[in-house]
């Protein structure tokens, strides 16, 4: 006698085991490639980089890459689980007993959706912190190689009364504090009609971000129609802090999910386009749907009965289609960042299309 929910739990256990195997294989491959890349780029340029340091850098970097490839884990894992059930004739027995395909596919899809939520809310902030740590450790090991490399920066801050554009020839982080060297501050007053009027310019040898202001040293201050005034130090008010200033230097993929809304608000307040960050936020929100879509798509392509033949070809088609949707997702992301598509449309279209394709094939397989 089969109790209620036993089939769902059994299929879910098989799916989770297959997902674990796919994660292990893909994780090992990513770790190997990351280690070789770090050994080539860091190990050959730093005398202090031993095997332990290179392995540590690999552990810090690899999770971010693996997180990007997570849709393939659900594609390969779910496909492997259902093909295995089909080869052992377990799916045939379930179908013969009158069990609908929806009954054992939906639990896997809901599990993928739940894992997507965990990935976005917990794993993404963790990998973002690890990526930041990776950059710090890598730069420390390559300090001698990078000491003469230019590392300039552009920043912008302000509100509805004043806007400040900051240009620095060099930037670095000392003890977590943001420091700029060879820096210029261009100060503009915001007029009632929204236009900007140049107010003054600061040239400084160094600017260090303190709570609530920039501390300038070796300063030359100039205003329109007047000569430059030199002083040892000066301060310029700032609404930035170490974290938000550092976020301006980062790729949107390196900003943690929970910090994206704040980064978007600050970027727009400073007068910059926040489209890349909005695109990243929408992609994060669409991640659970993408994982569920990959699971449904993989399961739908593995339900063909073994006795009818062609299961391997159909499963291969599912893998190829999954790759196609993944690259379609990347293409839409690029179009969204370029403002060709709106962030919501660019982020949600690929997972919605993948889910609809899987559901269509599932309906055709199940109901003819």
């Amino acid at each position: 006698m089969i109790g209620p929910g036993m089939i769902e739990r059994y299929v879910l256990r098989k799916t989770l085991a297959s997902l674990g195997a796919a994660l292990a294989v893909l994780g090992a491959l990513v770790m190997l490639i990351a280690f070789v890349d770090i050994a080539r780029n860091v190990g050959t340029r730093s005398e202090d980089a031993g095997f332990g340091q290179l392995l540590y850098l690999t552990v810090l970097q690899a999770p971010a890459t693996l997180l990007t490839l997570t849709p393939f884990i659900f594609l390969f894992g779910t496909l492997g689980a259902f093909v295995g059930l089909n080869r052992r004739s377990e799916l045939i027995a379930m179908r013969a007993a009158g069990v609908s395909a929806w009954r054992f596919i939906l639990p896997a899809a809901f599990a993928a959706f739940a894992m997507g939520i965990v990935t976005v809310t917990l794993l993404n902030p963790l990998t973002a912190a690890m990526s930041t740590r990776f950059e710090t450790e890598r730069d420390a090991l390559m300090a001698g190689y990078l000491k003469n490399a230019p590392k300039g920066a552009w920043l912008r801050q302000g509100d509805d009364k004043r806007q400040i554009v900051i240009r620095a020839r060099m930037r670095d982080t000392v003890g977590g504090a943001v420091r700029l060297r060879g820096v210029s501050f261009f100060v503009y007053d915001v007029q009632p009609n929204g236009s900007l009027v140049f107010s003054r310019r600061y040239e400084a040898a160094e600017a260090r971000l303190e709570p609530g202001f920039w501390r300038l040293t070796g300063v030359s201050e100039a205003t329109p129609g007047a000569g430059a005034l030199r002083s040892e130090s000066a301060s310029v008010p700032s609404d930035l802090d170490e974290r938000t200033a550092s976020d301006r230097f980062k790729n949107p993929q390196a900003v943690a999910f929970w910090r994206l809304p704040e980064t978007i608000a600050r970027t727009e307040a400073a007068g910059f386009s926040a489209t890349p960050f909005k695109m990243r936020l929408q992609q994060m929100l669409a991640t659970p749907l993408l994982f569920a879509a990959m699971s449904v798509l993989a399961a739908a392509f593995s339900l063909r009965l073994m006795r009818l033949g062609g299961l391997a070809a159909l499963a291969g088609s599912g893998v190829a289609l999954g790759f196609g949707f993944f690259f379609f997702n990347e293409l839409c992301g690029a179009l969204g960042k370029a403002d060709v598509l709106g962030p919501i449309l660019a982020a949600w279209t690929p997972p919605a299309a993948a889910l609809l394709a899987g559901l269509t094939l599932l309906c055709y397989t199940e109901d003819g």
Side-chain angles (χ1 to χ4, degrees):
M1 181 72 177
I2 299 178
M6 290 184 63
I7 291 178
E8 291 86 344
R9 289 194 297 270
Y10 176 76
V11 174
L12 186 58
R13 284 197 303 270
K14 292 293 185 180
T15 303
L16 292 178
S18 184
L19 290 174
L23 174 62
V25 172
L26 192 58
L29 183 61
V30 168
M31 287 282 290
L32 177 62
I33 295 175
F35 182 82
V36 172
D37 181 66
I38 291 172
R40 184 180 66 251
N41 293 319
V42 179
T44 58
R45 298 171 180 173
S46 173
E47 297 179 355
D48 300 327
F51 177 80
Q53 287 89 347
L54 296 178
L55 185 60
Y56 178 53
L57 290 178
T58 302
V59 172
L60 291 176
Q61 185 196 42
T65 304
L66 186 61
L67 206 63
T68 303
L69 300 176
T70 306
F72 291 115
I73 295 176
F74 288 92
L75 178 67
F76 296 142
T78 306
L79 191 65
F82 280 85
V83 168
L85 291 172
N86 206 335
R87 289 185 180 278
R88 294 190 298 270
S89 299
E90 290 174 301
L91 287 184
I92 298 175
M94 294 178 192
R95 303 291 291 280
V99 177
S100 171
W102 299 99
R103 183 174 168 184
F104 49 78
I105 287 179
L106 288 181
F110 284 130
F113 190 89
M115 291 180 190
I117 296 176
V118 173
T119 298
V120 170
T121 57
L122 298 180
L123 298 183
N124 173 261
L126 178 61
T127 56
M130 294 175 69
S131 296
T132 301
R133 185 66 179 176
F134 165 77
E135 293 179 0
T136 302
E137 296 292 336
R138 181 198 58 191
D139 291 348
L141 285 174
M142 299 179 64
Y145 179 80
L146 296 174
K147 63 181 179 180
N148 296 321
K151 200 174 184 181
W154 282 94
L155 281 172
R156 187 167 174 175
Q157 65 176 55
D159 50 29
D160 57 354
K161 295 182 179 179
R162 174 179 290 182
Q163 292 286 324
I164 301 176
V165 178
I166 306 170
R167 169 72 177 105
R169 289 194 297 271
M170 296 283 291
R171 67 174 175 87
D172 54 31
T173 303
V174 179
V178 176
R179 184 177 66 178
L180 306 176
R181 286 178 286 175
V183 62
S184 302
F185 283 69
F186 301 92
V187 183
Y188 296 86
D189 293 330
V190 181
Q191 301 302 302
N193 61 1
S195 62
L196 299 179
V197 176
F198 178 71
S199 173
R200 64 187 66 242
R201 172 176 176 174
Y202 295 93
E203 296 284 345
E206 179 180 300
R208 184 185 293 267
L209 183 60
E210 305 285 350
F213 65 95
W214 290 96
R215 184 184 299 279
L216 312 182
T217 56
V219 186
S220 175
E221 179 183 355
T223 56
L229 300 176
R230 299 184 181 276
S231 60
E232 289 296 323
S233 63
S235 62
V236 176
S238 175
D239 60 351
L240 301 176
D241 55 28
E242 295 170 1
R243 187 189 69 186
T244 54
S246 297
D247 283 347
R248 303 291 175 86
F249 305 134
K250 290 182 178 180
N251 186 298
Q253 276 71 16
V255 180
F257 170 74
W258 297 110
R259 297 213 323 245
L260 280 170
E262 178 186 1
T263 303
I264 291 171
R266 287 182 176 270
T267 302
E268 290 182 332
F272 282 121
S273 171
T275 299
F277 296 103
K278 290 180 179 179
M279 184 66 211
R280 181 60 177 170
L281 177 61
Q282 292 300 325
Q283 286 178 325
M284 287 285 95
L285 293 175
T287 294
L289 182 63
L290 178 63
F291 289 178
M294 286 297 188
S295 295
V296 171
L297 191 66
F301 271 93
S302 58
L303 291 181
R304 184 180 178 87
L305 299 179
M306 284 290 297
R307 61 182 176 81
L308 298 179
L311 178 60
L314 191 62
S317 300
V319 172
L321 188 59
F323 272 96
F325 276 117
F326 178 81
F327 289 113
F328 178 55
N329 186 44
E330 295 297 309
L331 174 62
C332 287
L335 294 176
K337 293 174 185 176
D339 274 333
V340 177
L341 295 176
I344 295 178
L345 180 63
W348 289 88
T349 296
L355 182 62
L356 290 175
L359 292 176
T360 300
L361 181 59
L362 188 59
C363 290
Y364 176 78
T365 304
E366 178 68 6
D367 302 323

